[in-house]
Amino acid sequence: QVQLVESGGGLVQAQGSLKLSCAASGRTFSTSAMGWFRQTLGKEREFVAAISWNGAVTTYADSVKDRLTISRDNAKNTLYLQMNSLKPEDTAVYYCGVARPGTSTRQRDNYDYWGQGTQVTVSS
């Protein structure tokens, strides 16, 4: 059973920065692709970014490309999302997840484990 705990969310002004963390437990962390998704009330959980097991390959939603950076530190069992130049439309609950091996990391249905989420609010 994999456990994920997000942290680092909060209130920030537009153009500001935040760094989210996702602490993972379980020996599968270092061998699994992981991703960040976000969700706001009334909308489906949407893809933000994903990273391969060794950090060699990353992919981003077009809406966050060049502003958000996903990374991981396998020695610390932690996934990160550095968020810069934040916009009000980035406001959402951000979730980290562990992807099922051999599946597309851009689709939420391919993730077997999720954290509880951390709220990010960007004001104008």
Side-chain angles (χ1 to χ4, degrees), residues 4-121:
L4 305 170
V5 180
E6 300 94 338
S7 63
L11 176 64
V12 65
Q13 291 183 310
Q15 297 303 121
S17 299
L18 284 174
K19 187 173 184 178
L20 307 184
S21 297
C22 173
S25 63
R27 61 186 180 91
T28 62
F29 177 83
S30 63
T31 58
S32 300
M34 298 186 70
W36 287 98
F37 284 70
R38 65 188 182 187
Q39 187 171 27
T40 187
L41 187 63
K43 290 191 174 183
E44 296 180 335
R45 190 170 298 187
E46 67 175 0
F47 171 77
V48 175
I51 188 168
S52 62
W53 72 273
N54 61 356
V57 180
T58 59
T59 183
Y60 299 89
D62 289 340
S63 60
V64 305
K65 196 170 298 182
D66 300 323
R67 299 189 300 113
L68 276 59
T69 302
I70 189 171
S71 63
R72 66 192 298 164
D73 187 337
N74 287 348
K76 297 181 178 180
N77 289 343
T78 303
L79 178 73
Y80 302 99
L81 185 67
Q82 178 65 54
M83 304 189 295
N84 298 324
S85 301
L86 285 165
K87 305 175 180 180
E89 49 263 46
D90 293 318
T91 296
V93 177
Y94 284 71
Y95 299 88
C96 66
V98 178
R100 192 179 310 114
T103 65
S104 172
T105 55
R106 302 179 68 91
Q107 298 183 346
R108 61 184 180 274
D109 289 344
N110 291 333
Y111 287 75
D112 288 333
Y113 303 98
W114 296 99
Q116 61 188 359
T118 185
Q119 176 72 49
V120 172
T121 303

